[in-house]
C-alpha cells in the first residue's frame, strides 16, 4: 500500500541517515517505527482496560488456586 504523508525535514533527514546506517530501506524503517508505535499504544489500551476492571474487582486469588499453583512447582528452584 502506498500512502503520501508530510514529515518535517529534520525528521525525514534523520530517518534517511538512520535507514542508511541500518542498511534498510526508508520504507522498512518507517514500517518498523509505525509497528512499534502502534504496538505500544495497543498494549497501553489493554492496560487501561485491565485497570478499569480492577477498580471494581479484586485481584486476589482463591486459596485453592494458590495451593494448586504451589503444588505445580513441585520443588522447582528459581
Amino acid at each position: 500500500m502506498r500512502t503520501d504523508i508530510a514529515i518535517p525535514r529534520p525528521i525525514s533527514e534523520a530517518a534517511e541517515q538512520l535507514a542508511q546506517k541500518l542498511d534498510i530501506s526508508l520504507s522498512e524503517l518507517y514500517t518498523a517505527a509505525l509497528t512499534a508505535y502502534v504496538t505500544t499504544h495497543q498494549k497501553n489500551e489493554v492496560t487501561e482496560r485491565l485497570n478499569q476492571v480492577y477498580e471494581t474487582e479484586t485481584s486476589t486469588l482463591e486459596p485453592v488456586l494458590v495451593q494448586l499453583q504451589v503444588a505445580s512447582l513441585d520443588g522447582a528452584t528459581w
Side-chain angles (χ1 to χ4, degrees):
M1 179 175 151
R2 188 169 187 87
T3 302
D4 292 326
I5 58 173
I7 299 174
R9 183 171 302 279
I11 298 297
S12 176
E13 290 172 353
E16 288 176 16
Q17 290 174 2
L18 181 58
Q20 287 177 351
K21 180 179 178 181
L22 297 174
D23 195 30
I24 60 175
S25 70
L26 197 52
S27 180
E28 289 172 307
L29 178 68
Y30 286 136
T31 299
L34 283 171
T35 299
Y37 190 82
V38 169
T39 300
T40 297
H41 283 276
Q42 287 173 335
K43 288 178 184 177
N44 289 342
E45 288 176 14
V46 170
T47 301
E48 288 172 12
R49 290 183 187 153
L50 286 172
N51 286 340
Q52 289 173 353
V53 168
Y54 287 116
E55 284 178 2
T56 59
E57 298 291 329
T58 180
S59 62
T60 58
L61 294 175
E62 295 292 326
V64 172
L65 291 175
V66 173
Q67 289 173 345
L68 289 170
Q69 287 179 337
V70 169
S72 72
L73 293 175
D74 194 31
T77 58
W78 297 85

